[in-house]
Amino acid sequence: MIANLTRRNVLQGAGVAALGAVFAVVATGCATVTPAGEAVDGGTDLLALAKKQGYLRVGIANEPPYTQVNSDGTVTGCEPDVLKAVCKRLGIDDVQGIITPYESMIPGLQANRWDAVAAGLFMKQSRCAEVLYSEPVIVSTESFGVPSGNPKNILTVADVLADASLRIAVLPGGFEEGILNTAKVPASQQVKVNDGRSGIEALAADRADAFFLPTLSLRAIAETDTSFEVTEQVPDAPRTGSGAAFRTTDTAFHKAYNVELEAFKKTPEFKKILDLWGFDAAAVEGVTADELCQTEG
Ligand code: 6CS
């Protein structure tokens, strides 16, 4: 069974142990459930706990190629695949994914609903202040999904600012919403949608003139849906990048993870995973979390 955690029940989850059982997880192997609210702090504990129980709980979305939940419930996608490989190097056999909206990923991590986030949760100042990011695994770009022919010629954030009648679909708490807010695009021009699918539906229903999402996510949807087109990279949107995110108390785990990640990034397996999901391994070379954490928002 796959759990969909809305922001409301993530924040409620912290106290309501009884709810723990409903947060059944997508297991790539075993299917035990960690009791809700179990205290895990101080890095060493998390590593010891995860090794003992044989898995790490990870907050994910379901937005290929960043994350993907297969029909048999297994978790994959670029970020979980790299996380799984690095966990194996740390002696942790498995990961268990919990699907949740982007706006809930950090609150759920802090509420001990999961132990890591590996979902393409892009680094930026506000997020880097709340979690410990590993070094980047991927860098990527943003685009607009628009009706065929791009009738309103929406190509840049400046285009959105220049025409107050334009309505832009974004995910609540998502990086793109952050870009519009930083650019002072009023909320009246923002249409909140739950996920990739509902963003494209908003376009088709003429509830939005464009859907702001990562380029590769829009292209993945366009593989099976020809009702819209994907613009080139939005030139006035910041470069994005992400890695795994951990609680600020899990310092030892974060350190151990980065050591194994840096070693793994030098192996052909790392490039194979990124190639499989359409990411450019060379583009992330030399890019640091410190650098990406400078991104405004
Ligand atoms: O980091 C974020 O908030 C964004 N990341 C992805 C992979 N998709 C959309 C989301 O807004």
Side-chain angles (χ1 to χ4, degrees):
M1 179 174 82
I2 300 170
N4 266 326
L5 289 179
T6 59
R7 182 169 185 76
R8 188 175 55 71
N9 56 35
V10 164
L11 299 177
Q12 275 175 340
V16 188
L19 269 181
V22 304
F23 294 137
V25 292
V26 180
T28 54
C30 58
T32 52
V33 174
T34 302
E38 188 175 322
V40 175
D41 57 20
T44 46
D45 291 343
L46 179 56
L47 188 52
L49 175 80
K51 286 165 84 168
K52 189 171 97 240
Q53 68 191 16
Y55 61 85
L56 191 74
R57 300 169 303 163
V58 58
I60 59 170
N62 188 4
E63 188 182 305
Y66 296 88
T67 49
Q68 179 172 302
V69 178
N70 295 331
S71 50
D72 66 359
T74 53
V75 176
T76 185
C78 190
E79 291 255 19
D81 286 359
V82 170
L83 180 87
K84 275 190 263 183
V86 177
C87 279
K88 281 226 182 323
R89 296 172 70 102
L90 287 167
I92 302 166
D93 299 334
D94 213 342
V95 302
Q96 292 185 347
I98 302 160
I99 299 177
T100 188
Y102 284 93
E103 63 179 334
S104 306
M105 290 179 180
I106 293 179
L109 183 66
Q110 293 162 336
N112 191 34
R113 291 273 127 238
W114 35 86
D115 304 308
V117 172
L121 185 71
F122 300 143
M123 298 179 192
K124 61 178 184 177
Q125 293 170 10
S126 57
R127 290 173 173 173
C128 295
E130 294 185 285
V131 301
L132 289 176
Y133 271 108
S134 74
E135 288 306 318
V137 164
I138 52 140
V139 291
S140 54
T141 61
E142 300 281 341
S143 284
F144 290 115
V146 292
S148 304
N150 196 359
K152 303 210 172 158
N153 200 30
I154 303 170
L155 297 171
T156 67
V157 176
D159 292 337
V160 177
L161 267 176
D163 179 349
S165 74
L166 294 177
R167 303 152 302 159
I168 312 302
V170 288
L171 306 186
F175 190 84
E176 299 75 25
E177 179 194 66
I179 295 172
L180 296 185
N181 291 340
T182 301
K184 304 273 183 284
V185 172
S188 57
Q189 285 190 255
Q190 301 180 26
V191 179
K192 310 299 174 174
V193 293
N194 286 337
D195 55 24
R197 174 67 22 225
S198 46
I200 299 306
E201 282 158 12
L203 281 183
D206 192 23
R207 286 185 282 110
D209 301 297
F211 179 28
F212 202 3
L213 204 69
T215 308
L216 294 180
S217 302
L218 288 166
R219 288 189 185 151
I221 301 170
E223 278 168 25
T224 55
D225 181 332
T226 56
S227 70
F228 71 103
E229 63 185 50
V230 183
T231 68
E232 288 307 307
Q233 167 186 354
V234 174
D236 53 357
R239 178 179 61 162
T240 60
S242 60
F246 306 104
R247 280 179 291 269
T248 51
T249 50
D250 291 325
T251 47
F253 189 94
H254 171 252
K255 196 154 165 255
Y257 187 91
N258 262 341
V259 169
E260 289 303 333
L261 174 61
E262 281 322 286
F264 182 63
K265 284 167 86 169
K266 296 191 178 80
T267 70
E269 283 69 39
F270 175 73
K271 185 174 181 315
K272 256 196 229 122
I273 292 174
L274 269 68
D275 288 351
L276 173 67
W277 294 101
F279 292 93
D280 177 4
V284 74
E285 255 170 55
V287 180
T288 66
D290 286 351
E291 198 183 319
L292 293 172
C293 282
Q294 302 317 310
T295 300
E296 232 186 310

